[in-house]
Amino acid sequence: ADNHYSRAKDLESNGHEGAEVMVLGLHVNSEAIVRYLEKKWPELLGKILFIDFNVDKHKQRRFSKLRLAYGDFSNPDTLRYYGIEHAKVVVTTLNNAFQHGIRNEDLISEIKKLNPSAKIITTCLSSEQSESLLERGAYACISTPDESAPAYTRAILDAIEASTPESKPDDKPAPAIES
């Protein structure tokens, strides 16, 4: 195919200096990161380049202040084009169920080829998959279901406590939950 992502020779001279942090995909998890950073560390947003192929996301006003790049991040030429070799941190916020054309295991391997020193933070659905991704070279792996379980449990315990007739909702907080 002769599309604009397929000719690595031309892409290597594109002049993109990259970003300190690259986030691959602009989906639910990365959108939550954006909201969190806007409140807590807005200066960090300027160091992040978000790469996503969904043009509709790029047009949404709530993302207008972000550094957005259009591209298929499963294609190594796209990563090279946007300067992945300069990134200190690469974040994949999509688990394998939402990836199109590549698994996080393969993406880690590809990123490591392009930038061996990058710290890769990835997403998975279980602690077992997390172990596998860490063995492949991920710096950190976020298991969204496992990490949200304590919050759900706290909410369930609070709701049970609040529903008990002899207690008042503000009597005592739910016990701490180990994650």
Side-chain angles (χ1 to χ4, degrees):
D2 190 28
N3 64 40
H4 64 282
Y5 291 120
S6 66
R7 295 189 358 232
K9 175 176 64 170
D10 295 338
L11 299 176
E12 288 173 343
S13 62
N14 64 60
H16 284 276
E17 59 187 58
E20 194 170 337
V21 179
M22 284 189 161
V23 175
L24 309 181
L26 189 54
H27 199 257
V28 175
N29 292 331
S30 52
E31 289 178 26
I33 292 168
V34 169
R35 287 190 304 274
Y36 186 78
L37 291 178
E38 284 173 336
K39 291 178 188 170
K40 301 285 186 176
W41 290 287
E43 66 279 3
L44 185 55
L45 284 171
K47 296 179 179 187
I48 301 173
L49 174 65
F50 294 84
I51 301 175
D52 196 272
F53 64 86
N54 185 341
V55 177
D56 292 334
K57 295 275 186 185
H58 294 243
K59 294 177 184 176
Q60 292 178 17
R61 186 173 191 180
R62 64 186 166 148
F63 300 126
S64 64
K65 294 180 182 175
L66 300 180
R67 290 177 60 196
L68 291 173
Y70 174 79
D72 176 3
F73 60 79
S74 70
N75 185 325
D77 290 340
T78 301
L79 299 176
R80 206 175 291 112
Y81 180 78
Y82 289 114
I84 195 163
E85 69 276 5
H86 301 290
K88 292 180 182 176
V89 179
V90 180
V91 183
T92 65
T93 61
L94 296 169
N95 63 57
N96 286 345
F98 290 101
Q99 296 280 23
H100 298 285
I102 193 165
R103 300 174 319 127
N104 277 325
E105 292 83 351
D106 302 326
L107 196 51
I108 289 169
S109 298
E110 198 56 52
I111 293 167
K112 285 293 185 185
K113 285 180 200 169
L114 298 169
N115 182 347
S117 65
K119 303 292 186 227
I120 302 168
I121 301 169
T122 189
T123 305
C124 66
L125 291 174
S126 69
S127 55
E128 293 81 16
Q129 187 185 25
S130 176
E131 290 174 25
S132 170
L133 293 167
L134 292 169
E135 287 171 5
R136 288 185 177 255
Y139 175 78
C141 188
I142 309 301
S143 174
T144 313
D146 290 342
E147 295 190 31
S148 63
Y152 280 112
T153 303
R154 277 191 296 280
I156 291 167
L157 292 171
D158 284 346
I160 289 170
E161 186 70 28
S163 299
T164 306
E166 58 274 357
S167 71
K168 296 176 191 146
D170 296 321
D171 278 352
K172 60 183 176 182
I177 305 295
E178 301 273 331
S179 39

